[in-house]
Amino acid sequence: MSRILITGGAGFIGSHLCDRLLKEGHEVICMDNYFTGRRKNIEHNLHDTYFEFVRHDVIQPYMAEVDEIYNLACPASPVHYQYNPIKTVKTSVMGAINMLGLAKRVKAKILQASTSEVYGDPSIHPQVEEYWGNVNPIGIRSCYDEGKRCAETLFMDYHRQNEVKIKIIRIFNTYGPRMNPNDGRVVSNFIVQALKGEDITIFGDGTQTRSFQYIDDLVEGMVRMMNTPDHVIGPVNIGNPNEFTMLELATKVIDLVGSSSKLIFSDLPADDPKQRQPDIRKADKLLDHWRPKIQLEDGLKKTIQYFENELKSAK
Ligand code: NAD
Ligand code: UDP
């Protein structure tokens, strides 16, 4: 049994990770400032003696005796990370410094939830970990992309300079239950719009692609990565290589919901990547043949069910 700190633990991914680690018998400290996370996501664990919630902002130093740290604190949806871009940079960069400092002091292993956004609008397809990316350093997505890139730099430098035991994963678009209905990302937007019979908002012409991974596959990959031997540091892509256009996603969601929603088109936001697909050969090799098991249609069905309940309880 380990004592594990999860920053951003009340968010979409973090709350699933809390559940998984508690189930394995670990003690979990969930730190979150509730910027995009919700009490609702972790409520079922609040009375568990092995679970502790700490309301704290990761840009402030934090001290705890822990064996492992999963660093997830950071808004992930463009709508939320662009709301206060300076804060987003601080969260990624100062958050990484604070958590790496903690890992160094208490000799904990630390995993960084990095992102496919470090590849920017990629010219190499599918994206391999060796690709350095094509990121605009001064655009509206830069606060997130460059913040995450700088966090990777800090992880590597704490490893080289201070021998901190690090793990870096690059997460590709992930969806599933506990996404906030107002999250603003494409899967949650389309499902909520289809369920309400509202227009489906396609940005651009809808031919841009993403590869969508269901939450359970990601959590499995994260835990396997944390449990690798110390010399395995990454970065390792964790995502589902099945790639779809946003038009295909919209059609699938409309079909599965049985909705009468129509598609409407608006301008593509600046620097929106045209294509994205993970090369997962490294994860397969390093993480004991990890590969995603849940395909889009099955994952969407579970997620639609969740949003149906969310919308009912909000009435
Ligand atoms: P989320 O917004 O649901 O979760 C982020 C959590 O971090 C929230 O609970 C939020 O309140 C918390 N947080 C934000 N700023 C904080 C701060 N300063 N101090 C403490 N807590 C703070 O998003 P998510 O999808 O669960 O993403 C979790 C992590 O995974 C993020 O770091 C994100 O960049 C990364 N990631 C997610 C995806 C994806 O598709 N979901 C893809 C790539 C990377
Ligand atoms: N998108 C869209 N309609 C929406 C929300 C997003 O067409 O209501 C598009 C967006 O422009 C992008 C893709 O869907 O091309 C994925 O967007 P998301 O914000 O989910 O993630 P990211 O761009 O960070 O991969």
Side-chain angles (χ1 to χ4, degrees):
M1 178 182 140
S2 303
R3 185 180 295 158
I4 304 175
L5 171 64
I6 304 176
T7 75
F12 159 53
I13 297 173
S15 64
H16 286 278
L17 188 60
C18 288
D19 290 356
R20 163 70 183 257
L21 296 172
L22 285 169
K23 214 165 155 189
E24 285 182 5
H26 300 294
E27 200 177 320
V28 171
I29 303 175
C30 166
M31 179 228 279
D32 206 292
N33 70 348
Y34 281 147
F35 175 50
T36 50
R38 296 184 295 173
R39 192 176 190 275
K40 202 174 172 182
N41 289 344
I42 51 162
E43 209 159 36
H44 55 286
N45 291 324
L46 290 175
H47 298 293
D48 188 325
T49 43
Y50 290 104
F51 182 81
E52 191 180 336
F53 176 73
V54 181
R55 190 168 189 147
H56 182 84
D57 194 309
V58 77
I59 73 171
Q60 304 296 340
Y62 177 73
M63 184 59 204
E65 289 295 328
V66 291
D67 307 300
E68 294 176 2
I69 304 168
Y70 287 85
N71 188 37
L72 274 66
C74 187
S77 160
V79 179
H80 296 295
Y81 70 63
Q82 287 165 19
Y83 170 75
N84 183 345
I86 297 168
K87 176 72 193 238
T88 300
V89 176
K90 284 186 183 170
T91 297
S92 271
V93 176
M94 292 163 72
I97 291 171
N98 287 330
M99 290 305 109
L100 285 160
L102 174 61
K104 180 182 159 193
R105 278 199 299 279
V106 301
K107 298 198 186 321
K109 267 195 287 188
I110 178 164
L111 180 145
Q112 169 67 355
S114 191
T115 167
S116 52
E117 286 288 320
V118 300
Y119 302 122
D121 188 8
S123 49
I124 301 272
H125 196 73
Q127 290 78 58
V128 288
E129 289 86 349
E130 290 71 27
Y131 177 49
W132 291 352
N134 176 32
V135 173
N136 175 0
I138 56 169
I140 56 169
R141 294 174 82 98
S142 318
C143 58
Y144 183 75
D145 300 8
E146 297 290 15
K148 288 283 184 177
R149 286 168 67 96
C150 184
E152 286 199 11
T153 307
L154 286 161
F155 268 67
M156 291 305 298
D157 284 333
Y158 269 78
H159 176 68
R160 284 187 286 249
Q161 200 174 325
N162 298 123
E163 285 146 30
V164 172
K165 294 176 198 157
I166 63 153
K167 313 274 175 196
I168 300 172
I169 56 165
R170 292 182 179 153
I171 303 169
F172 283 64
N173 298 63
T174 305
Y175 67 98
R178 299 202 192 138
M179 290 187 94
N180 194 320
N182 302 317
D183 180 85
R185 279 175 281 186
V186 71
V187 175
S188 46
N189 271 9
F190 285 5
I191 294 179
V192 171
Q193 289 161 347
L195 286 170
K196 290 182 169 173
E198 293 172 354
D199 292 336
I200 305 276
T201 52
I202 308 264
F203 300 165
D205 62 6
T207 57
Q208 72 271 34
T209 66
R210 295 293 186 272
S211 304
F212 298 102
Q213 155 175 251
Y214 190 66
I215 181 67
D216 294 0
D217 287 326
L218 168 62
V219 170
E220 180 62 35
M222 291 178 104
V223 172
R224 286 196 197 190
M225 182 67 182
M226 185 60 105
N227 293 334
T228 51
D230 289 349
H231 69 270
V232 177
I233 60 173
V236 176
N237 291 336
I238 306 278
N240 187 324
N242 288 344
E243 186 181 359
F244 298 88
T245 65
M246 295 312 102
L247 283 174
E248 285 169 332
L249 177 70
T251 312
K252 243 183 205 318
V253 168
I254 288 174
D255 285 352
L256 291 172
V257 171
S259 170
S260 56
S261 292
K262 303 271 174 299
L263 308 185
I264 55 160
F265 293 84
S266 59
D267 288 346
L268 192 66
D271 300 328
D272 199 287
K274 283 180 235 10
Q275 54 180 359
R276 196 181 278 158
Q277 186 196 47
D279 181 314
I280 56 165
R281 280 175 294 177
K282 212 166 168 184
D284 177 73
K285 187 165 158 224
L286 297 173
L287 308 182
D288 195 19
H289 302 297
W290 173 88
R291 61 174 51 122
K293 291 204 175 91
I294 300 168
Q295 296 313 330
L296 188 62
E297 193 156 318
D298 296 327
L300 284 180
K301 283 182 189 158
K302 292 174 202 260
T303 312
I304 289 167
Q305 180 73 57
Y306 154 78
F307 276 115
E308 248 173 326
N309 295 335
E310 278 288 284
L311 296 182
K312 263 185 222 147
S313 65
K315 272 185 189 161

